[in-house]
Amino acid sequence: MSSSGIPARRPASAGRPRRKRGTGRSLRAPAVAAASAAMALGVAGIPAVPLGAASGPLHGTVTGAGKPLRGATVTLFAGSRTGVRELGRATTDATGSFAIPYTPPAAGVLYLEATPSGARRLRLRSVVAVGRGGAVPARTTNRVRVNELTTVAATYALAQFSDQHGIDGPSPGLQNAAATTFNLVDPVTGKPGGTVTNADNGNTNETLATLDTLANLVSLCASDTTRCERLLRLATPPGGTTPQDTVQAVLNLVRNPTLSPAGLYGLARTANHYAPALAAPPTAWILALRYTDTNLYAPGRIAFDAKGNVWTSNNWLPGTRKPTPYISVLDPTGRPILGSPIPGGGMKGGDWGAAVAPDGSVWMSSYGGNSVAHYSATGKPLSPPEGWRNGGLVHPQGLAVDQRGNVWIANNFGVETAPGQGNVVVYPHGDPAKAIKITGGGLNHPFAVQIDGFGRAWVSNAGLGGARLVNTPLAPLIGKFSGSVTVIGPDFKPTAASPIESSSFKWPLGIAIDSRNNAWVDNYFNSTITRLTPDGSVAGAYKLPEKTLPWSVAVDGSDRVWVAGFLTPSVWTLCGTNKAACPPGSATGAVLSPPQGFRSKAIQHLTAVQIDQSGNVWLANNWSRIVPPTGGTGLVELIGLATPVCTPLTPVPERPSTAASCTGKSASADPFTGNSASADPFTGKRTGTQPYTVRPGDTLSRIARANGQSWSALYRRNKTVIGADPDRLTPGRRLVLR
């Protein structure tokens, strides 16, 4: 989480781009199945449509420390995949008011920056428009208030898209992040937004008070006082440079949330422009929002689709322990969509299986139904009323979809069955009728399954009986439980190295794969995270606080590792193998969060953690009370803390690029075909294929030839993605190659 201060920027001249990272253009090939030029591209693959109905002028008011700021320079910027462009500027009058005529660009986000002439350290921001290209509707306001609250909201929500040039980046993460700003603040009034003040947040957690406290800190720089200079010093990260202004200072706190909590809290108490503020120092400067929906209760696991929508399974019906028939889908701002909650498809008590396939459809395991449920990208159940049971499913748990569209299911058999039971079931290319049952390799009540960049499946073997001993006289035996990991090749056979065993394995549950194909395994009963290298060697075991009982683990776009605690409702961040993304001197496995994790009253007992394309950390509140077991309420979003990842997982974490859409290829993949160019460490053979992302000018024939198959076979495999016309490819769609 290290970050040095961001250098001050010089204003760009009106109408000229500050930076250009690439060009977006539409190409048409004369060959069979050319990528359709009918979908004209605006900015690097974003449809060329206006941000909204408004065309200016934009009217607004700038205030600092509760007073209008006269003579402030206000600049309107557009940020997109290609960089930052200035659209206009104005100077505020005696009432702090301004007006900026402008022409809306094709896509991206619009934001304001205000720099008062008499307060050189004060820089204020406000998001005023969100364009198309994300999972949220386009939104534009013609009247705006720019103040300390809007500055904190914009900086937190867009932290992963901010640098010395301004705010820009790839879709859909950029637009989704900008839309999240409105959950924190109303840009028209400059007051806290509807989500941060609602019944799910408001007085029930610390987020509103933290938002106000941070705004009070920014207000200290309205007159460039000695307290402002102290703020900038306290907001300097280890080994970094002192921030030049308030935006840089707040950005440092997002990226280094453990910076100076006591010192900054004491400083914030010298200003009281925003209330309610924190009554005690925080352990970290985080903003957490909780989202609820009808029948979103005891959520199990989370998966993100390509637009950034949030799909989650649910264990129980609200207020009961009866298995629910519903799944939930929220947009990136926490709004229920697609008719959520969605019934049908054989769902009966969703658990820890949720994955999005390359074609955009979603698979979830139905623990109580002994089946898996399948949904279209629009939320329509595709599986029969009893679900898919092919392969002899018995209490399935973890679920993953590989680069070829194969669906992998950890067939757990439940905690009440005999030792050694369980297997892995695969639906080749998502076809249950062709189910393959995999045994051997030490498979023993498998819990999680995750795919690496070679197309191999890593499976955690939880073994028998750990869960049923909690809160019984046999609890002392818990420490005796072990476990293992099985690795299964793309040929559906366990590798010779399986099972992988380690003394650190104590009821291993979640698995996450990093960009270098290391596997990170969380161990429930000893609160330890084990790292396995791509060849299965144990590279380290990293201890968390004793009562964490970690359930889930995720890796962000900088290979930092995020761990969700079940017994202790907290989230921990560990330095991964990319030590350059950690504070100076950090070792792999070092805890970057507070020792007791990131905490909030919004967080309950967790079973899932996942990272979205905007850099937000999403959590599943599975239980609200341990004894008697009571379901948790809603999903929680930690805003802007992580490095974004492409979604759905591709399958290893890939940071979205400003030069192109998420490719669906690992770093070692061929840039055109998507085939892996690296060898499987177990066998030495090159293996595995990745989904292929259609580019402007592509033809079905050309893609097929490059992958040694006929265009007709490729079309049959991807008909649901391509549509009825094989001569019309849509850029950005992902095709299954094998």
Side-chain angles (χ1 to χ4, degrees):
M1 293 187 187
S2 68
S3 170
S4 59
I6 296 178
R9 299 179 291 106
R10 295 180 180 178
S13 57
R16 296 182 62 82
R18 282 175 156 158
R19 164 180 56 175
K20 197 167 186 181
R21 288 173 168 164
T23 58
R25 54 181 179 158
S26 177
L27 304 176
R28 186 177 184 88
V32 176
S36 172
M39 179 185 175
L41 300 185
V43 182
I46 304 172
V49 293
L51 283 170
S55 59
L58 174 65
H59 295 273
T61 304
V62 181
T63 62
K67 298 178 181 180
L69 295 180
R70 179 178 184 172
T73 300
V74 185
T75 310
L76 177 64
F77 296 106
S80 67
R81 183 188 301 279
T82 58
V84 182
R85 181 180 294 271
E86 181 181 317
L87 300 183
R89 66 173 61 187
T91 302
T92 58
D93 61 20
T95 66
S97 299
F98 65 89
I100 301 177
Y102 74 100
T103 300
V109 301
L110 301 185
Y111 67 97
L112 288 167
E113 286 194 354
T115 52
S117 58
R120 62 189 181 90
R121 299 298 195 188
L122 181 65
R123 179 153 55 115
L124 303 174
R125 275 182 174 173
S126 182
V127 173
V128 298
V130 179
R132 299 181 189 271
V136 292
R139 174 176 177 175
T140 303
T141 178
N142 277 334
R143 189 166 295 277
V144 66
R145 177 68 63 100
V146 186
N147 62 18
E148 295 91 346
L149 275 177
T150 64
T151 302
V152 174
T155 305
Y156 263 75
L158 288 154
Q160 301 300 328
F161 300 88
S162 300
D163 60 16
Q164 66 268 32
H165 302 285
I167 297 172
D168 63 355
S171 301
L174 175 67
Q175 287 89 334
N176 294 345
T180 301
T181 300
F182 302 131
N183 285 351
L184 295 171
V185 68
D186 181 344
V188 177
T189 66
K191 297 180 179 180
T195 301
V196 76
T197 57
N198 67 17
D200 293 323
N201 297 285
N203 296 327
T204 66
N205 61 52
E206 310 90 338
T207 301
L208 177 59
T210 304
L211 182 69
D212 285 336
T213 300
L214 290 166
N216 282 331
L217 283 169
V218 175
S219 76
L220 297 175
C221 292
S223 57
D224 200 17
T225 63
T226 301
R227 292 178 297 169
C228 177
E229 296 298 332
R230 186 181 175 197
L231 161 64
L232 300 180
R233 289 195 300 271
L234 289 172
T236 303
T241 57
T242 302
Q244 296 298 305
D245 57 41
T246 50
V247 166
Q248 295 174 25
V250 175
L251 189 59
N252 281 352
L253 296 184
V254 190
R255 296 176 175 174
N256 304 268
T258 59
L259 273 180
S260 310
L264 288 170
Y265 168 76
L267 188 60
R269 286 176 60 86
T270 65
N272 58 1
H273 303 292
Y274 298 95
L278 291 171
T283 58
W285 298 105
I286 65 170
L287 298 179
L289 291 177
R290 183 171 64 171
Y291 303 114
T292 61
D293 182 25
T294 303
N295 288 307
L296 202 175
Y297 183 73
R301 202 179 187 202
I302 300 166
F304 296 100
D305 63 23
K307 293 182 178 179
N309 295 315
V310 190
W311 296 71
T312 183
S313 57
N314 297 299
N315 291 174
W316 304 325
L317 286 168
T320 75
R321 294 184 66 186
K322 297 179 180 178
T324 182
Y326 300 102
I327 67 165
S328 299
V329 189
L330 309 180
D331 76 6
T333 64
R335 181 177 59 94
I337 56 172
L338 306 181
S340 181
I342 300 172
M347 179 52 65
K348 184 179 180 182
D351 51 6
W352 213 71
V356 180
D359 64 2
S361 65
V362 180
W363 293 81
M364 292 194 179
S365 53
S366 171
Y367 189 87
N370 293 317
S371 64
V372 293
H374 189 200
Y375 306 89
S376 72
T378 59
K380 178 183 177 181
L382 301 177
S383 45
E386 66 278 7
W388 296 116
R389 298 179 176 177
N390 307 58
L393 298 183
V394 180
H395 297 321
Q397 284 278 9
L399 187 151
V401 183
D402 69 16
Q403 301 93 316
R404 297 177 292 175
N406 300 315
V407 180
W408 297 73
I409 306 159
N411 199 17
N412 181 263
F413 270 63
V415 297
E416 300 297 328
T417 51
Q421 291 190 319
N423 49 61
V424 170
V425 174
V426 179
Y427 293 167
H429 305 302
D431 187 351
K434 298 179 180 179
I436 298 171
K437 184 183 295 186
I438 302 170
T439 59
L443 289 170
N444 181 8
H445 293 81
F447 185 84
V449 57
Q450 200 71 30
I451 310 299
D452 69 10
F454 304 103
R456 303 174 304 180
W458 294 70
V459 184
S460 62
N461 295 300
L464 171 72
R468 66 180 181 178
L469 297 185
V470 176
N471 300 318
T472 73
L474 297 178
L477 297 177
I478 288 175
K480 303 296 184 182
F481 281 87
S482 57
S484 64
V485 169
T486 299
V487 182
I488 304 171
D491 58 359
F492 308 135
K493 297 178 181 179
T495 65
S498 296
I500 301 168
E501 297 178 317
S502 168
S503 60
S504 65
F505 289 152
K506 301 294 182 189
W507 217 53
L509 295 180
I511 295 182
I513 310 295
D514 68 19
S515 68
R516 303 177 185 183
N517 292 293
N518 294 285
W520 296 78
V521 185
D522 59 69
N523 299 286
Y524 187 83
F525 284 129
N526 64 3
S527 298
T528 296
I529 309 299
T530 303
R531 177 168 66 96
L532 303 175
T533 63
D535 65 0
S537 302
V538 177
Y542 312 108
K543 187 70 175 176
L544 297 173
E546 184 176 349
K547 295 183 179 180
T548 299
L549 303 193
W551 197 287
S552 182
V553 61
V555 177
D556 72 13
S558 292
D559 276 341
R560 290 184 297 242
V561 181
W562 297 78
V563 183
F566 181 78
L567 183 59
T568 300
S570 293
V571 181
W572 284 264
T573 312
L574 307 183
C575 182
T577 54
N578 178 16
K579 291 181 283 188
C582 307
S586 298
T588 297
V591 176
L592 307 181
S593 55
Q596 295 302 315
F598 292 119
R599 291 185 170 186
S600 168
K601 292 180 181 177
I603 299 175
Q604 299 172 336
H605 302 283
L606 303 172
T607 55
V609 55
Q610 210 68 38
I611 316 297
D612 69 14
Q613 292 207 44
S614 298
N616 304 308
V617 182
W618 289 76
L619 311 168
N621 281 340
N622 188 248
W623 284 15
S624 62
R625 187 169 57 182
I626 299 292
V627 181
T630 307
T633 304
L635 302 178
V636 176
E637 177 188 30
L638 305 182
I639 296 175
L641 293 188
T643 303
V645 297
C646 289
T647 62
L649 285 176
T650 58
V652 297
E654 174 188 359
R655 185 171 186 170
S657 168
T658 56
S661 300
C662 289
T663 61
K665 297 184 287 291
S666 64
S668 59
D670 182 275
F672 178 73
T673 66
N675 292 331
S676 174
S678 295
D680 182 324
F682 283 111
T683 65
K685 298 178 180 178
R686 295 186 176 188
T687 183
T689 60
Q690 306 277 353
Y692 177 77
T693 301
V694 176
R695 305 174 182 181
D698 270 344
T699 69
L700 206 59
S701 297
R702 180 182 176 186
I703 298 170
R705 283 197 305 272
N707 288 276
Q709 55 187 293
S710 68
W711 74 265
S712 58
L714 185 61
Y715 175 64
R716 286 195 300 271
R717 188 173 298 114
N718 294 277
K719 186 174 182 179
T720 57
V721 178
I722 298 170
D725 187 356
D727 291 328
R728 195 176 183 87
L729 294 186
T730 302
R733 294 288 176 85
R734 294 204 282 183
L735 306 182
V736 176
L737 298 177
R738 295 288 181 184

